Amino acid sequence: MSNSEDSQQYLNDMLVKEEDEASGDDSDKQDGGIMLREQDRFLPICNIIKIMKVPVPQNGKIAKDARECIQECVSEFISFISSEAIERSVAENRKTVNGDDLLVAFSNLGFDNYVEPLSIYLQKYRESNKSDRNLFLDASYPHNEDGSSANDAGKQ
Amino acid sequence: MGEPRSQPPVERPPTAETFLPLSRVRTIMKSSMDTGLITNEVLFLMTKCTELFVRHLAGAAYTEEFGQRPGEALKYEHLSQVVNKNKNLEFLLQIVPQKIRVHQFQEMLRLNRSAGSDDDDDDDDDDDEEESESESESDE
């Protein structure tokens, strides 16, 4: 439903605003490309910490240097994948990056273990666009994600 | 900082909601693309995969060092070890270098200058600065 989507976007925007206000960092120059303010280069650290806590056992702590380190890793990850995805769409003379470009990018860059959950998200996303958006929210879902995580842990 | 949780956060089933702000993800994506447009589909998927990436990286770093032992503290060096071990995380080596002592760093600088500049990348310059700062902090 468009209302819930707008609400979600509104909440996200509010969060971004709060982050902007909270951040006192100086602006940071980047060579080439768009010049981004420091607070735009990174995702909000409180959100990242919430996600980091999921795989860390009970009462596990995350040191400040690890939080900030992952914050930078995340931005680099997004840039890395994005650059790869855009190359494919450009090679095929398309201006728009699509979900399949992203799938191929993950595969090309050695993140094969992300392709399966990504495919599932992509499928669900497209289904939800075709019909009622609530379908995504209501769908019961096998925990392939857990399976992938377990596989990841095994490979390390 | 802050109180440790008494209960681990419950894993959420996949939903259309994201932990991370889509607008910020879009900004980061656009900054690394000279051209091209991003569909909402791609933006959503990138955000979801970024969440998976964070979980995977944090989980691997913790497990590598502590197994499933509760109550330990995840630190930079644990992340650095994971990044150095995994081939598909090579793109993070410049972001998460392993720490070295200042005199080692100075020696590296000396060798670099005498050998001439093999690396002209600006990224390398940034790395030098970061390492320098890092070492200063560790010495304090």
Side-chain angles (χ1 to χ4, degrees):
Chain A
M1 180 173 289
S2 63
N3 267 348
S4 65
E5 186 179 14
D6 290 344
S7 174
Q8 177 72 32
Q9 188 61 39
Y10 175 76
L11 288 175
N12 286 336
D13 287 339
M14 287 301 297
L15 186 58
V16 171
K17 285 181 181 176
E18 289 176 357
E19 179 68 17
D20 287 350
E21 290 166 359
S23 173
D25 294 332
D26 296 332
S27 62
D28 184 72
K29 277 190 177 180
Q30 281 195 345
D31 286 283
I34 302 167
M35 301 248 287
L36 292 180
R37 297 175 302 168
E38 180 79 2
Q39 60 267 38
D40 283 339
R41 282 207 300 136
F42 300 131
L43 295 174
I45 199 159
C46 55
N47 301 55
I48 292 174
I49 291 168
K50 279 181 191 172
I51 301 171
M52 286 178 79
K53 293 244 175 184
V54 172
V56 170
Q58 185 173 343
N59 287 340
K61 302 169 190 64
I62 304 172
K64 186 180 182 189
D65 60 1
R67 295 181 211 153
E68 294 178 355
C69 172
I70 282 218
Q71 200 182 20
E72 293 203 23
C73 289
V74 163
S75 293
E76 187 70 11
F77 174 79
I78 294 173
S79 296
F80 187 55
I81 303 292
S82 300
S83 298
E84 181 75 13
I86 187 66
E87 282 184 18
R88 182 177 184 240
S89 71
V90 165
E92 298 185 358
N93 273 328
R94 285 183 281 102
K95 287 186 177 180
T96 307
V97 180
N98 62 34
D100 295 315
D101 295 327
L102 212 57
L103 277 169
V104 173
F106 275 102
S107 185
N108 286 345
L109 298 174
F111 291 99
D112 298 305
N113 48 348
Y114 286 76
V115 172
E116 183 186 346
L118 179 54
S119 301
I120 293 168
Y121 282 127
L122 182 57
Q123 178 192 337
K124 290 293 183 180
Y125 186 88
R126 287 174 173 170
E127 285 175 2
S128 71
N129 270 357
K130 286 181 179 177
S131 60
D132 190 347
R133 182 167 297 271
N134 285 335
L135 177 64
F136 200 126
L137 296 168
D138 292 339
S140 63
Y141 199 94
H143 286 282
N144 278 310
E145 190 173 337
D146 290 343
S148 297
S149 299
N151 289 339
D152 296 356
K155 290 177 183 176
Q156 299 307 315
Chain B
M1 176 170 133
E3 301 172 0
R5 288 171 169 257
S6 57
Q7 288 183 353
V10 178
E11 277 211 28
R12 302 159 65 228
T15 67
E17 299 167 9
T18 60
F19 278 107
L20 302 167
L22 295 175
S23 57
R24 193 77 61 86
V25 173
R26 179 187 288 275
T27 299
I28 297 171
M29 290 183 78
K30 292 295 284 181
S31 73
S32 67
M33 297 161 57
D34 294 330
T35 179
L37 304 172
I38 302 168
T39 63
N40 288 334
E41 173 182 275
V42 163
L43 181 57
F44 174 78
L45 290 170
M46 179 59 84
T47 305
K48 280 293 188 180
C49 284
T50 301
E51 291 174 13
L52 293 180
F53 176 73
V54 171
R55 288 174 49 178
H56 171 255
L57 191 54
Y62 193 95
T63 300
E64 192 87 22
E65 185 72 19
F66 305 115
Q68 289 304 310
R69 206 184 325 149
E72 301 290 349
L74 180 66
K75 295 177 181 174
Y76 174 93
E77 53 260 36
H78 307 137
L79 293 169
S80 178
Q81 283 171 22
V82 168
V83 167
N84 277 269
K85 278 189 180 182
N86 289 277
K87 197 161 194 176
N88 67 347
L89 298 179
E90 278 180 358
F91 70 100
L92 294 175
L93 285 176
Q94 292 178 341
I95 304 280
V96 195
Q98 286 186 317
K99 292 184 177 180
I100 58 175
R101 297 194 174 278
V102 170
H103 69 84
Q104 261 183 286
F105 173 70
Q106 287 168 346
E107 195 170 338
M108 285 169 61
L109 274 190
R110 197 178 318 117
L111 289 177
N112 244 9
R113 286 174 186 149
S114 60
S117 59
D118 288 337
D119 299 323
D120 288 332
D121 291 340
D122 293 320
D123 287 343
D124 286 343
D125 293 337
D126 290 341
D127 287 343
D128 288 345
E129 292 172 359
E130 285 179 0
E131 287 178 17
S132 178
E133 292 171 0
S134 174
E135 290 314 305
S136 300
E137 288 173 2
S138 68
D139 278 357
E140 290 172 355

